[in-house]
Structure formats: C-alpha cells, structure tokens
Amino acid sequence: MEDAHRKIQDAVNGLVNDLDKGALRRTQYDMHQCAAKCCLDDKASTEQIHSCIDRCSVPLQKGQQYVQQELTQFQDRLQRCVMSCQDSLKDKIGPKTTEAEALKYRDQFESCARKCVETHIALLPALRTKMMDVLGSSEYKK
C-alpha cells in the first residue's frame, strides 16, 4: 500500500509542477510586473497603490484557488473509491472470521485500493489538459 500511496503522490506532484511551470508561474510573473507598474504612479495615494497591487494579484489567486479545488475533488474521488473497497469487505468480516480469512480480505482490499490508484493516475493527463486550458483562459490572465 505504501507503494500505491507513493505512486499517487508522485503523480499528483508531477501534475502540480506541470501546472506551475505551464501556467501559474507566468501568472505570478504578470502579477509582479503589474504590481511594479502600480508603484510607478507618483500621483497615486498609498491606498490607491495598495488597491492597484491587490487587483494585480486577483488572477493568480483565482488560478491557485481553481487548482486547489480541482485537486480536492480528485482526492475526494480517490477516497470514495477506496472507501468503496472497504465497504465491500466490511460486510464479509464478522466475529467468527479466521485469521486466514482476514488476511485474504486484507489482500482483496489492497488489490482494490491499488486499482483505485491506477484508475485515478490514468485520469491525470486529461485533468492536466483541462486545467491548463482553464488556467490559460482570459479569466486567469490580467
């Protein structure tokens, strides 16, 4: 099970790195450029400068919130799959379950959970494409 946990963690970390390099970093760069321009306005008050800087950070904040929302949904789906594995075996285990049966059930659970991980890892390329498209939309730009 540790291997499956490591595989899904590595796959999700890879997705996050791709999103950062492919979209969020550029948005962060744009935010800093925008904020620097705000500071060049000699006629603006301190409050106006802060408001300008806050406006500059909105696209990045939206992008980060979107990524977090999608990752949370992905994690929830994976957890529901694993819970389904647990639920299907709970009904089989009773007070008279032998140690051999318990080991068999544990192996069945681990096999089911590994299938959940593999299924969800296979979903990541499409999720990455979708998220890159969304992050590339005008809503997440200046």
Short mmCIF file of all heavy atoms in Angstrom, two decimals, residues 41-97:
data_model
loop_
_atom_site.label_atom_id
_atom_site.label_comp_id
_atom_site.label_asym_id
_atom_site.label_seq_id
_atom_site.Cartn_x
_atom_site.Cartn_y
_atom_site.Cartn_z
N ASP A 41 3.32 55.01 -10.23
CA ASP A 41 2.37 56.13 -10.28
C ASP A 41 2.64 57.10 -9.12
O ASP A 41 2.19 56.88 -8.00
CB ASP A 41 0.93 55.59 -10.23
CG ASP A 41 -0.11 56.67 -10.44
OD1 ASP A 41 0.26 57.86 -10.47
OD2 ASP A 41 -1.29 56.30 -10.57
N ASP A 42 3.35 58.16 -9.42
CA ASP A 42 3.73 59.14 -8.40
C ASP A 42 2.54 59.95 -7.88
O ASP A 42 2.62 60.51 -6.79
CB ASP A 42 4.78 60.12 -8.95
CG ASP A 42 6.09 59.44 -9.25
OD1 ASP A 42 6.37 58.38 -8.65
OD2 ASP A 42 6.86 59.97 -10.09
N LYS A 43 1.48 59.99 -8.63
CA LYS A 43 0.32 60.80 -8.24
C LYS A 43 -0.68 60.03 -7.38
O LYS A 43 -1.58 60.62 -6.80
CB LYS A 43 -0.37 61.34 -9.48
CG LYS A 43 0.51 62.29 -10.25
CD LYS A 43 -0.15 62.78 -11.50
CE LYS A 43 0.85 63.69 -12.23
NZ LYS A 43 0.61 63.76 -13.62
N ALA A 44 -0.52 58.73 -7.31
CA ALA A 44 -1.48 57.90 -6.57
C ALA A 44 -1.18 57.94 -5.08
O ALA A 44 -0.02 58.04 -4.66
CB ALA A 44 -1.43 56.46 -7.07
N SER A 45 -2.25 57.82 -4.30
CA SER A 45 -2.09 57.75 -2.84
C SER A 45 -1.63 56.34 -2.46
O SER A 45 -1.70 55.41 -3.28
CB SER A 45 -3.42 58.06 -2.16
OG SER A 45 -4.35 57.02 -2.40
N THR A 46 -1.21 56.21 -1.22
CA THR A 46 -0.80 54.90 -0.73
C THR A 46 -1.95 53.91 -0.86
O THR A 46 -1.75 52.76 -1.27
CB THR A 46 -0.35 55.01 0.75
OG1 THR A 46 0.71 55.95 0.82
CG2 THR A 46 0.10 53.67 1.28
N GLU A 47 -3.15 54.35 -0.52
CA GLU A 47 -4.33 53.47 -0.61
C GLU A 47 -4.58 53.04 -2.06
O GLU A 47 -4.89 51.88 -2.32
CB GLU A 47 -5.54 54.21 -0.06
CG GLU A 47 -6.79 53.35 0.01
CD GLU A 47 -7.96 54.09 0.62
OE1 GLU A 47 -7.81 54.59 1.76
OE2 GLU A 47 -9.01 54.16 -0.04
N GLN A 48 -4.42 53.97 -2.99
CA GLN A 48 -4.62 53.64 -4.40
C GLN A 48 -3.56 52.64 -4.89
O GLN A 48 -3.87 51.73 -5.65
CB GLN A 48 -4.58 54.92 -5.25
CG GLN A 48 -5.79 55.81 -5.05
CD GLN A 48 -5.63 57.15 -5.72
OE1 GLN A 48 -4.55 57.74 -5.72
NE2 GLN A 48 -6.73 57.65 -6.30
N ILE A 49 -2.35 52.83 -4.42
CA ILE A 49 -1.27 51.89 -4.80
C ILE A 49 -1.60 50.49 -4.27
O ILE A 49 -1.49 49.50 -5.01
CB ILE A 49 0.10 52.36 -4.27
CG1 ILE A 49 0.49 53.70 -4.87
CG2 ILE A 49 1.18 51.30 -4.49
CD1 ILE A 49 0.75 53.68 -6.36
N HIS A 50 -2.03 50.41 -3.01
CA HIS A 50 -2.36 49.09 -2.43
C HIS A 50 -3.54 48.46 -3.17
O HIS A 50 -3.52 47.24 -3.42
CB HIS A 50 -2.65 49.23 -0.93
CG HIS A 50 -1.44 49.47 -0.11
ND1 HIS A 50 -0.43 48.56 0.03
CD2 HIS A 50 -1.04 50.57 0.60
CE1 HIS A 50 0.53 49.05 0.80
NE2 HIS A 50 0.18 50.28 1.17
N SER A 51 -4.52 49.24 -3.54
CA SER A 51 -5.67 48.72 -4.29
C SER A 51 -5.23 48.20 -5.65
O SER A 51 -5.68 47.15 -6.11
CB SER A 51 -6.74 49.80 -4.47
OG SER A 51 -7.32 50.12 -3.24
N CYS A 52 -4.35 48.95 -6.28
CA CYS A 52 -3.83 48.53 -7.58
C CYS A 52 -3.08 47.21 -7.45
O CYS A 52 -3.29 46.28 -8.24
CB CYS A 52 -2.90 49.62 -8.13
SG CYS A 52 -2.17 49.25 -9.74
N ILE A 53 -2.23 47.10 -6.45
CA ILE A 53 -1.46 45.87 -6.22
C ILE A 53 -2.40 44.70 -5.93
O ILE A 53 -2.21 43.59 -6.44
CB ILE A 53 -0.42 46.07 -5.10
CG1 ILE A 53 0.67 47.03 -5.57
CG2 ILE A 53 0.17 44.74 -4.65
CD1 ILE A 53 1.61 47.51 -4.47
N ASP A 54 -3.44 44.95 -5.13
CA ASP A 54 -4.42 43.90 -4.83
C ASP A 54 -5.10 43.41 -6.11
O ASP A 54 -5.31 42.21 -6.28
CB ASP A 54 -5.47 44.40 -3.83
CG ASP A 54 -4.93 44.56 -2.42
OD1 ASP A 54 -3.84 44.02 -2.12
OD2 ASP A 54 -5.60 45.25 -1.61
N ARG A 55 -5.45 44.34 -6.98
CA ARG A 55 -6.09 43.95 -8.26
C ARG A 55 -5.15 43.09 -9.10
O ARG A 55 -5.58 42.17 -9.79
CB ARG A 55 -6.52 45.18 -9.04
CG ARG A 55 -7.79 45.82 -8.54
CD ARG A 55 -8.32 46.89 -9.50
NE ARG A 55 -7.36 47.95 -9.78
CZ ARG A 55 -7.15 49.02 -9.01
NH1 ARG A 55 -7.82 49.17 -7.89
NH2 ARG A 55 -6.25 49.93 -9.36
N CYS A 56 -3.87 43.39 -9.03
CA CYS A 56 -2.88 42.62 -9.79
C CYS A 56 -2.82 41.17 -9.35
O CYS A 56 -2.51 40.27 -10.14
CB CYS A 56 -1.49 43.25 -9.64
SG CYS A 56 -1.32 44.88 -10.40
N SER A 57 -3.09 40.92 -8.08
CA SER A 57 -2.95 39.56 -7.54
C SER A 57 -4.19 38.69 -7.79
O SER A 57 -4.14 37.48 -7.58
CB SER A 57 -2.64 39.61 -6.05
OG SER A 57 -3.75 40.09 -5.32
N VAL A 58 -5.29 39.29 -8.25
CA VAL A 58 -6.54 38.53 -8.41
C VAL A 58 -6.40 37.34 -9.36
O VAL A 58 -6.82 36.23 -9.03
CB VAL A 58 -7.70 39.47 -8.82
CG1 VAL A 58 -8.93 38.68 -9.26
CG2 VAL A 58 -8.05 40.40 -7.67
N PRO A 59 -5.83 37.50 -10.56
CA PRO A 59 -5.73 36.33 -11.45
C PRO A 59 -4.96 35.16 -10.84
O PRO A 59 -5.36 34.00 -10.97
CB PRO A 59 -5.02 36.88 -12.69
CG PRO A 59 -5.35 38.33 -12.68
CD PRO A 59 -5.37 38.72 -11.23
N LEU A 60 -3.85 35.46 -10.16
CA LEU A 60 -3.07 34.39 -9.54
C LEU A 60 -3.86 33.72 -8.42
O LEU A 60 -3.88 32.49 -8.32
CB LEU A 60 -1.74 34.92 -8.99
CG LEU A 60 -0.86 33.87 -8.32
CD1 LEU A 60 -0.44 32.78 -9.32
CD2 LEU A 60 0.37 34.53 -7.71
N GLN A 61 -4.53 34.51 -7.60
CA GLN A 61 -5.34 33.94 -6.52
C GLN A 61 -6.44 33.05 -7.09
O GLN A 61 -6.68 31.95 -6.58
CB GLN A 61 -5.95 35.05 -5.66
CG GLN A 61 -4.95 35.76 -4.80
CD GLN A 61 -5.55 36.97 -4.09
OE1 GLN A 61 -6.69 37.35 -4.30
NE2 GLN A 61 -4.75 37.59 -3.23
N LYS A 62 -7.10 33.51 -8.14
CA LYS A 62 -8.14 32.69 -8.78
C LYS A 62 -7.56 31.39 -9.32
O LYS A 62 -8.16 30.33 -9.18
CB LYS A 62 -8.80 33.46 -9.93
CG LYS A 62 -9.83 34.46 -9.53
CD LYS A 62 -10.40 35.08 -10.80
CE LYS A 62 -11.65 35.86 -10.55
NZ LYS A 62 -12.19 36.40 -11.81
N GLY A 63 -6.40 31.48 -9.95
CA GLY A 63 -5.75 30.29 -10.50
C GLY A 63 -5.38 29.30 -9.42
O GLY A 63 -5.62 28.09 -9.56
N GLN A 64 -4.82 29.80 -8.33
CA GLN A 64 -4.44 28.91 -7.23
C GLN A 64 -5.68 28.28 -6.58
O GLN A 64 -5.66 27.10 -6.24
CB GLN A 64 -3.62 29.68 -6.20
CG GLN A 64 -2.24 30.04 -6.70
CD GLN A 64 -1.50 31.01 -5.78
OE1 GLN A 64 -2.10 31.81 -5.08
NE2 GLN A 64 -0.17 30.93 -5.82
N GLN A 65 -6.74 29.04 -6.44
CA GLN A 65 -7.98 28.50 -5.88
C GLN A 65 -8.56 27.43 -6.80
O GLN A 65 -9.04 26.39 -6.32
CB GLN A 65 -9.01 29.62 -5.66
CG GLN A 65 -8.68 30.53 -4.51
CD GLN A 65 -9.56 31.77 -4.45
OE1 GLN A 65 -10.33 32.05 -5.36
NE2 GLN A 65 -9.41 32.53 -3.38
N TYR A 66 -8.52 27.68 -8.10
CA TYR A 66 -9.02 26.69 -9.06
C TYR A 66 -8.22 25.39 -8.96
O TYR A 66 -8.80 24.30 -8.91
CB TYR A 66 -8.95 27.25 -10.48
CG TYR A 66 -9.21 26.20 -11.53
CD1 TYR A 66 -10.48 25.67 -11.69
CD2 TYR A 66 -8.18 25.71 -12.31
CE1 TYR A 66 -10.72 24.68 -12.64
CE2 TYR A 66 -8.41 24.73 -13.25
CZ TYR A 66 -9.68 24.22 -13.40
OH TYR A 66 -9.91 23.22 -14.32
N VAL A 67 -6.90 25.49 -8.92
CA VAL A 67 -6.05 24.30 -8.81
C VAL A 67 -6.38 23.54 -7.52
O VAL A 67 -6.55 22.31 -7.53
CB VAL A 67 -4.55 24.66 -8.87
CG1 VAL A 67 -3.68 23.48 -8.48
CG2 VAL A 67 -4.19 25.15 -10.27
N GLN A 68 -6.50 24.25 -6.43
CA GLN A 68 -6.81 23.61 -5.15
C GLN A 68 -8.17 22.92 -5.19
O GLN A 68 -8.33 21.80 -4.70
CB GLN A 68 -6.77 24.64 -4.01
CG GLN A 68 -6.89 24.00 -2.64
CD GLN A 68 -5.80 22.98 -2.38
OE1 GLN A 68 -4.62 23.25 -2.56
NE2 GLN A 68 -6.16 21.79 -1.96
N GLN A 69 -9.14 23.56 -5.80
CA GLN A 69 -10.48 22.98 -5.92
C GLN A 69 -10.44 21.69 -6.73
O GLN A 69 -11.03 20.68 -6.34
CB GLN A 69 -11.41 23.99 -6.58
CG GLN A 69 -12.80 23.49 -6.88
CD GLN A 69 -13.61 24.51 -7.69
OE1 GLN A 69 -13.18 25.63 -7.91
NE2 GLN A 69 -14.76 24.10 -8.13
N GLU A 70 -9.76 21.71 -7.85
CA GLU A 70 -9.67 20.50 -8.69
C GLU A 70 -8.92 19.38 -7.99
O GLU A 70 -9.31 18.21 -8.06
CB GLU A 70 -8.99 20.83 -10.03
CG GLU A 70 -9.85 21.62 -10.97
CD GLU A 70 -11.02 20.85 -11.53
OE1 GLU A 70 -11.02 19.60 -11.53
OE2 GLU A 70 -11.98 21.51 -11.99
N LEU A 71 -7.84 19.72 -7.28
CA LEU A 71 -7.08 18.69 -6.56
C LEU A 71 -7.90 18.10 -5.42
O LEU A 71 -7.84 16.90 -5.16
CB LEU A 71 -5.77 19.27 -6.03
CG LEU A 71 -4.73 19.62 -7.08
CD1 LEU A 71 -3.53 20.28 -6.44
CD2 LEU A 71 -4.31 18.40 -7.90
N THR A 72 -8.68 18.93 -4.75
CA THR A 72 -9.55 18.44 -3.67
C THR A 72 -10.60 17.49 -4.24
O THR A 72 -10.86 16.42 -3.66
CB THR A 72 -10.22 19.63 -2.94
OG1 THR A 72 -9.20 20.42 -2.34
CG2 THR A 72 -11.18 19.15 -1.87
N GLN A 73 -11.19 17.85 -5.36
CA GLN A 73 -12.19 16.98 -5.99
C GLN A 73 -11.56 15.65 -6.41
O GLN A 73 -12.16 14.59 -6.24
CB GLN A 73 -12.84 17.66 -7.19
CG GLN A 73 -13.76 18.79 -6.80
CD GLN A 73 -14.31 19.54 -8.01
OE1 GLN A 73 -14.04 19.19 -9.16
NE2 GLN A 73 -15.08 20.57 -7.74
N PHE A 74 -10.36 15.71 -6.96
CA PHE A 74 -9.65 14.50 -7.36
C PHE A 74 -9.39 13.61 -6.14
O PHE A 74 -9.65 12.40 -6.17
CB PHE A 74 -8.32 14.87 -8.04
CG PHE A 74 -7.49 13.69 -8.43
CD1 PHE A 74 -7.77 12.99 -9.59
CD2 PHE A 74 -6.44 13.26 -7.64
CE1 PHE A 74 -7.01 11.88 -9.96
CE2 PHE A 74 -5.67 12.17 -7.99
CZ PHE A 74 -5.96 11.48 -9.16
N GLN A 75 -8.92 14.21 -5.06
CA GLN A 75 -8.64 13.46 -3.83
C GLN A 75 -9.93 12.86 -3.26
O GLN A 75 -9.93 11.71 -2.82
CB GLN A 75 -7.98 14.37 -2.80
CG GLN A 75 -7.59 13.65 -1.53
CD GLN A 75 -6.91 14.57 -0.52
OE1 GLN A 75 -6.94 15.79 -0.66
NE2 GLN A 75 -6.31 13.99 0.49
N ASP A 76 -11.01 13.61 -3.29
CA ASP A 76 -12.29 13.10 -2.81
C ASP A 76 -12.75 11.90 -3.61
O ASP A 76 -13.25 10.92 -3.05
CB ASP A 76 -13.37 14.19 -2.86
CG ASP A 76 -13.16 15.30 -1.84
OD1 ASP A 76 -12.31 15.13 -0.92
OD2 ASP A 76 -13.83 16.36 -1.97
N ARG A 77 -12.58 11.95 -4.92
CA ARG A 77 -12.97 10.82 -5.77
C ARG A 77 -12.14 9.58 -5.44
O ARG A 77 -12.66 8.47 -5.37
CB ARG A 77 -12.81 11.19 -7.24
CG ARG A 77 -13.84 12.21 -7.71
CD ARG A 77 -13.58 12.65 -9.12
NE ARG A 77 -13.75 11.55 -10.06
CZ ARG A 77 -13.42 11.62 -11.34
NH1 ARG A 77 -12.90 12.71 -11.84
NH2 ARG A 77 -13.61 10.59 -12.13
N LEU A 78 -10.84 9.78 -5.27
CA LEU A 78 -9.97 8.67 -4.91
C LEU A 78 -10.36 8.08 -3.56
O LEU A 78 -10.45 6.86 -3.41
CB LEU A 78 -8.51 9.12 -4.90
CG LEU A 78 -7.47 8.08 -4.47
CD1 LEU A 78 -7.51 6.85 -5.36
CD2 LEU A 78 -6.08 8.71 -4.47
N GLN A 79 -10.64 8.94 -2.59
CA GLN A 79 -11.04 8.46 -1.26
C GLN A 79 -12.36 7.69 -1.33
O GLN A 79 -12.51 6.68 -0.64
CB GLN A 79 -11.16 9.63 -0.29
CG GLN A 79 -9.84 10.17 0.16
CD GLN A 79 -9.96 11.41 1.05
OE1 GLN A 79 -10.98 12.09 1.05
NE2 GLN A 79 -8.91 11.70 1.79
N ARG A 80 -13.30 8.17 -2.14
CA ARG A 80 -14.58 7.44 -2.28
C ARG A 80 -14.35 6.05 -2.88
O ARG A 80 -14.99 5.08 -2.47
CB ARG A 80 -15.57 8.24 -3.14
CG ARG A 80 -16.21 9.39 -2.40
CD ARG A 80 -17.41 9.95 -3.14
NE ARG A 80 -17.17 10.35 -4.50
CZ ARG A 80 -16.74 11.55 -4.88
NH1 ARG A 80 -16.48 12.49 -3.98
NH2 ARG A 80 -16.56 11.83 -6.16
N CYS A 81 -13.45 5.96 -3.82
CA CYS A 81 -13.13 4.67 -4.43
C CYS A 81 -12.57 3.71 -3.37
O CYS A 81 -12.99 2.55 -3.26
CB CYS A 81 -12.14 4.86 -5.58
SG CYS A 81 -11.77 3.36 -6.50
N VAL A 82 -11.61 4.20 -2.58
CA VAL A 82 -11.00 3.36 -1.55
C VAL A 82 -12.04 3.00 -0.48
O VAL A 82 -12.06 1.87 0.02
CB VAL A 82 -9.77 4.06 -0.94
CG1 VAL A 82 -9.23 3.29 0.25
CG2 VAL A 82 -8.67 4.21 -2.01
N MET A 83 -12.90 3.94 -0.13
CA MET A 83 -13.96 3.65 0.85
C MET A 83 -14.90 2.57 0.33
O MET A 83 -15.37 1.72 1.10
CB MET A 83 -14.77 4.92 1.16
CG MET A 83 -14.01 5.94 1.98
SD MET A 83 -13.53 5.36 3.61
CE MET A 83 -15.12 5.29 4.39
N SER A 84 -15.14 2.57 -0.95
CA SER A 84 -15.98 1.53 -1.56
C SER A 84 -15.31 0.17 -1.40
O SER A 84 -15.99 -0.84 -1.13
CB SER A 84 -16.21 1.85 -3.03
OG SER A 84 -16.95 0.84 -3.65
N CYS A 85 -14.00 0.13 -1.53
CA CYS A 85 -13.26 -1.12 -1.31
C CYS A 85 -13.45 -1.59 0.13
O CYS A 85 -13.70 -2.77 0.37
CB CYS A 85 -11.77 -0.91 -1.58
SG CYS A 85 -11.34 -0.51 -3.28
N GLN A 86 -13.33 -0.66 1.07
CA GLN A 86 -13.50 -1.00 2.49
C GLN A 86 -14.93 -1.49 2.76
O GLN A 86 -15.11 -2.50 3.45
CB GLN A 86 -13.21 0.21 3.38
CG GLN A 86 -11.77 0.54 3.49
CD GLN A 86 -11.52 1.79 4.34
OE1 GLN A 86 -12.32 2.71 4.36
NE2 GLN A 86 -10.39 1.80 5.03
N ASP A 87 -15.89 -0.78 2.21
CA ASP A 87 -17.29 -1.13 2.46
C ASP A 87 -17.62 -2.52 1.93
O ASP A 87 -18.35 -3.27 2.58
CB ASP A 87 -18.23 -0.11 1.83
CG ASP A 87 -18.20 1.23 2.54
OD1 ASP A 87 -17.68 1.30 3.68
OD2 ASP A 87 -18.68 2.22 1.95
N SER A 88 -17.08 -2.86 0.78
CA SER A 88 -17.39 -4.17 0.20
C SER A 88 -16.83 -5.31 1.05
O SER A 88 -17.38 -6.42 1.06
CB SER A 88 -16.88 -4.27 -1.23
OG SER A 88 -15.48 -4.29 -1.27
N LEU A 89 -15.76 -5.05 1.79
CA LEU A 89 -15.18 -6.10 2.62
C LEU A 89 -15.71 -6.09 4.05
O LEU A 89 -15.71 -7.12 4.72
CB LEU A 89 -13.66 -5.97 2.64
CG LEU A 89 -13.01 -6.30 1.30
CD1 LEU A 89 -11.52 -6.00 1.35
CD2 LEU A 89 -13.25 -7.74 0.91
N LYS A 90 -16.20 -4.95 4.51
CA LYS A 90 -16.73 -4.87 5.87
C LYS A 90 -17.85 -5.87 6.10
O LYS A 90 -17.96 -6.46 7.17
CB LYS A 90 -17.28 -3.46 6.15
CG LYS A 90 -16.34 -2.58 6.88
CD LYS A 90 -17.03 -1.26 7.20
CE LYS A 90 -16.04 -0.31 7.81
NZ LYS A 90 -16.60 1.02 7.99
N ASP A 91 -18.68 -6.01 5.09
CA ASP A 91 -19.83 -6.91 5.21
C ASP A 91 -19.40 -8.38 5.32
O ASP A 91 -20.16 -9.20 5.80
CB ASP A 91 -20.77 -6.73 4.02
CG ASP A 91 -21.35 -5.33 3.96
OD1 ASP A 91 -21.47 -4.69 5.02
OD2 ASP A 91 -21.67 -4.87 2.85
N LYS A 92 -18.22 -8.71 4.85
CA LYS A 92 -17.74 -10.09 4.89
C LYS A 92 -17.10 -10.46 6.22
O LYS A 92 -17.00 -11.63 6.56
CB LYS A 92 -16.72 -10.32 3.77
CG LYS A 92 -17.29 -10.15 2.38
CD LYS A 92 -16.20 -10.33 1.34
CE LYS A 92 -16.74 -10.10 -0.06
NZ LYS A 92 -15.69 -10.27 -1.06
N ILE A 93 -16.64 -9.45 6.95
CA ILE A 93 -15.92 -9.71 8.20
C ILE A 93 -16.89 -9.77 9.36
O ILE A 93 -17.72 -8.88 9.53
CB ILE A 93 -14.84 -8.64 8.44
CG1 ILE A 93 -13.81 -8.68 7.30
CG2 ILE A 93 -14.17 -8.83 9.78
CD1 ILE A 93 -12.78 -7.59 7.35
N GLY A 94 -16.78 -10.81 10.12
CA GLY A 94 -17.65 -10.97 11.28
C GLY A 94 -16.85 -11.43 12.48
O GLY A 94 -15.63 -11.59 12.41
N PRO A 95 -17.54 -11.70 13.59
CA PRO A 95 -16.84 -12.11 14.80
C PRO A 95 -16.14 -13.48 14.66
O PRO A 95 -15.21 -13.78 15.39
CB PRO A 95 -17.93 -12.15 15.87
CG PRO A 95 -19.21 -12.18 15.13
CD PRO A 95 -18.98 -11.58 13.79
N LYS A 96 -16.59 -14.28 13.72
CA LYS A 96 -16.01 -15.62 13.55
C LYS A 96 -15.02 -15.69 12.39
O LYS A 96 -14.65 -16.78 11.95
CB LYS A 96 -17.13 -16.64 13.35
CG LYS A 96 -18.02 -16.76 14.57
CD LYS A 96 -19.06 -17.82 14.38
CE LYS A 96 -19.94 -17.88 15.63
NZ LYS A 96 -20.94 -18.91 15.57
N THR A 97 -14.61 -14.54 11.90
CA THR A 97 -13.64 -14.51 10.80
C THR A 97 -12.30 -15.04 11.30
O THR A 97 -11.78 -14.58 12.31
CB THR A 97 -13.48 -13.08 10.27
OG1 THR A 97 -14.74 -12.61 9.80
CG2 THR A 97 -12.49 -13.01 9.13
#
